Amino acid sequence: MVLDGTKTINSEGHLEIGGCDTVKLAEQFGTPLYVFDEAVIRRNARALRESFAAHLPRSEVIYAGKSFLTTAMCKIVEQEGLGLDVVSGGELYTALKAGFPPERVYFHGNNKSEDEIRLALKAGVGRLVVDNFLELEMLREAARSLKTRARVLLRITPGIEAHTHDYVRTGQIDSKFGFTLSNGQALAAVRQAAAAPELHLMGLHCHIGSQIFEVEPFAVAARVMIGFMGEVKEEAGKILRELDLGGGFGITYTHGDRPPELSRYAAAIARAVTEACQETGLPVPKIMVEPGRSITGPAGTTLYTIGSIKEIPGVRTYLAVDGGMGDNPRTALYGAKYEAVVANKADLEPDRVVSVAGKCCESGDMLIWDVCLADPRPGDILAVFCTGAYNYSMASNYNRLPRPAAVLVNEGEADLILERESYEDLVSHDRIPGRLQGEESKAERAVL
Ligand code: LLP
């Protein structure tokens, strides 16, 4: 077991996070429970901010809210001096509710609605990241009617697709996002945006993938984008001052994962940017990055109560917990891998290989295939690690399971940052039409 962050084992043999006994957390707040280690969130945010500042003084780290966003999280992001990337009216609303400075908000999305665009303009968000030609038009229209000028980045598809361990550069790009670089769309978009009096074109954006374990794809993306900025200068006579290279830095989910240290991404990006700018004769733009997973992923642990254990001799042992794909759909969706420990037996040697199943009515509802645990029994608490990113944010009420609570732990204190949903919450948006309640129908009323 990797005891990273503030994880320790106390004298009772219980797993502790942020100075809090996880078994007590489970008792106090119930399970499933998302536990967020504040020190780890802050440590990661700082490591990124400091390493980018060291290599590129004019840089900004923008937290990707899609990985985990609540109003308390917005407060931490604000305090750590990061920007905030939001991708929907709902995420923007969360930021505004938390009092997050709107000028530090970057608003993304490949199909923003008119309402979302207006909400963003009225709030005064820092940048809108424009994805397509329809949005350019909608944004101009909205800015005109609100008598404002929108500061924009254009999302470009640079033709680099990076996966965990490899990346490909293709001329042909198949992506729903952004203006394609290779077919002239990107340049056309730059021309349109630069010519629009309602818009202030600040720069460009790209995002090449997520959970990327190498620094080279980011360097390649930086070179391609700066090459394009050179083309923009030549062809459209415009010098762009900002370049946002998106998120995607990899993290360790299981012991086999070996992502580079966070500072190595900054170093590689800085080098590529500086070299490419020298070659193209451009001033070094302000560089932005948008990490999500690398800030919140390792900070999250989910606590479950172990229930039934089904042994199929010679085949597999299924250990069911009181959550599953509702609070963590990543195993079912992506084949994600996790490590876990029996929190109340954290001092014991793991001796039994089991597969952790959820409680949803679906065979694919698995959390971990094959994990070695110490004497797991019904009633024990299972802690699944590295569940801070894209778990709560992708959680659902499948099977009408209420979504779990989340607590923020730090130096022995545990504070609720998300209340557990109740059964009442589940039905609170349901409506029963009158005609199903025995009320007379319109036709009947007409006859009377
Ligand atoms: N910026 C943009 C434009 C993005 O699309 C993303 C992630 C990020 C930043 C943040 O990427 P990160 O640093 O977190 O890798 N649900 C999937 C991940 C989807 C990522 C989507 N975009 C998962 O659970 O793995």
Side-chain angles (χ1 to χ4, degrees):
M1 173 179 47
V2 191
L3 287 176
D4 59 340
T6 66
K7 295 188 192 93
T8 51
I9 299 169
N10 66 18
S11 55
E12 288 173 83
H14 295 177
L15 172 71
E16 273 193 15
I17 305 176
C20 297
D21 183 324
T22 53
V23 180
K24 298 213 170 81
L25 290 176
E27 265 166 35
Q28 189 182 346
F29 297 98
T31 56
L33 180 70
Y34 298 116
V35 179
F36 281 86
D37 187 336
E38 185 176 344
V40 172
I41 299 177
R42 291 188 188 274
R43 180 198 69 194
N44 294 339
R46 261 171 231 174
L48 283 159
R49 199 167 47 75
E50 283 164 11
S51 54
F52 274 91
H55 290 97
L56 293 156
R58 265 177 9 90
S59 58
E60 186 176 1
V61 176
I62 302 162
Y63 169 63
K66 72 206 78 177
S67 72
F68 175 69
L69 199 70
T70 69
T71 46
M73 185 62 201
C74 290
K75 287 285 180 207
I76 298 177
V77 175
E78 182 187 354
Q79 288 163 12
E80 291 302 328
L82 271 51
L84 180 64
D85 147 3
V86 301
V87 292
S88 68
E91 286 189 357
L92 175 57
Y93 186 80
T94 305
L96 297 175
K97 264 281 183 203
F100 192 87
E103 66 280 4
R104 276 161 54 190
V105 172
Y106 287 69
F107 190 24
H108 287 263
N110 69 310
N111 192 24
K112 300 180 188 74
S113 70
E114 202 183 314
D115 284 350
E116 287 176 320
I117 291 173
R118 290 179 74 87
L119 179 66
L121 287 179
K122 281 188 193 156
V125 300
R127 301 281 180 277
L128 276 112
V129 185
V130 177
D131 186 277
N132 55 66
F133 288 106
L134 174 68
E135 187 186 339
L136 264 183
E137 276 318 304
M138 288 166 70
L139 183 55
R140 290 185 61 180
E141 177 74 38
R144 218 176 296 141
S145 83
L146 293 168
K147 298 195 174 33
T148 182
R149 200 164 173 221
R151 289 169 177 265
V152 303
L153 301 180
L154 297 181
R155 177 159 184 171
I156 308 296
T157 320
I160 300 154
E161 206 188 311
H163 303 284
T164 298
H165 291 294
D166 62 337
Y167 70 98
V168 283
R169 248 193 94 177
T170 48
Q172 210 47 45
I173 296 123
D174 187 354
S175 165
K176 73 170 182 172
F177 295 107
F179 298 100
T180 308
L181 188 60
S182 60
N183 63 8
Q185 249 190 19
L187 191 59
V190 168
R191 285 205 164 100
Q192 270 192 31
E198 307 86 353
L199 308 182
H200 194 3
L201 176 60
M202 307 298 292
L204 304 177
H205 169 278
C206 71
H207 171 78
I208 54 171
S210 209
Q211 182 66 345
I212 301 169
F213 278 9
E214 274 135 33
V215 297
E216 186 54 17
F218 291 98
V220 174
R223 281 187 222 114
V224 170
M225 293 298 283
I226 287 172
F228 177 57
M229 286 165 117
E231 197 184 328
V232 166
K233 184 183 157 204
E234 293 295 310
E235 301 288 323
K238 177 124 189 108
I239 297 181
L240 298 170
R241 306 280 175 184
E242 297 182 357
L243 176 59
D244 183 338
L245 291 167
F249 309 147
I251 62 168
T252 304
Y253 281 100
T254 61
H255 54 272
D257 293 336
R258 299 252 182 282
E261 293 222 343
L262 288 176
S263 61
R264 285 197 46 222
Y265 292 102
I269 289 173
R271 195 164 156 204
V273 167
T274 319
E275 283 172 8
C277 285
Q278 269 162 9
E279 280 159 28
T280 39
L282 286 172
V284 173
K286 174 180 168 184
I287 296 294
M288 292 91 99
V289 284
E290 296 167 344
R293 189 193 313 268
S294 50
I295 294 177
T296 42
T301 301
T302 311
L303 303 179
Y304 301 95
T305 302
I306 296 174
S308 81
I309 299 177
K310 174 184 175 179
E311 200 175 334
I312 313 167
V315 179
R316 180 182 297 282
T317 298
Y318 285 95
L319 177 150
V321 294
D322 55 352
M325 66 192 295
D327 63 81
N328 180 2
R330 297 191 68 260
T331 307
L333 266 179
Y334 314 120
K337 295 196 165 48
Y338 292 94
E339 280 177 2
V341 62
V342 178
N344 49 310
K345 296 172 183 166
D347 56 340
L348 303 185
E349 252 335 283
D351 56 358
R352 193 160 175 211
V353 175
V354 299
S355 289
V356 181
K359 62 177 281 159
C360 286
C361 242
E362 181 159 334
S363 301
D365 175 26
M366 295 295 295
L367 289 174
I368 312 179
W369 292 98
D370 296 332
V371 59
C372 196
L373 297 176
D375 186 30
R377 303 283 172 104
D380 283 347
I381 302 299
L382 186 75
V384 177
F385 298 133
C386 217
T387 57
Y390 303 106
N391 284 44
Y392 167 68
S393 63
M394 301 207 319
S396 77
N397 290 122
Y398 185 43
N399 289 181
R400 288 230 147 174
L401 295 180
R403 278 175 300 181
V407 290
L408 188 67
V409 294
N410 195 20
E411 294 183 356
E413 276 185 41
D415 295 295
L416 200 60
I417 55 170
L418 262 175
E419 259 182 54
R420 181 176 303 284
E421 284 179 350
S422 65
Y423 289 151
E424 195 46 44
D425 290 331
L426 293 176
V427 294
S428 65
H429 289 266
D430 292 10
R431 298 290 177 267
I432 303 177
R435 65 191 170 79
L436 298 183
Q437 309 211 60
E439 284 177 15
E440 63 206 19
S441 69
K442 265 188 204 157
E444 282 163 345
R445 276 201 301 272
V447 171
L448 289 173

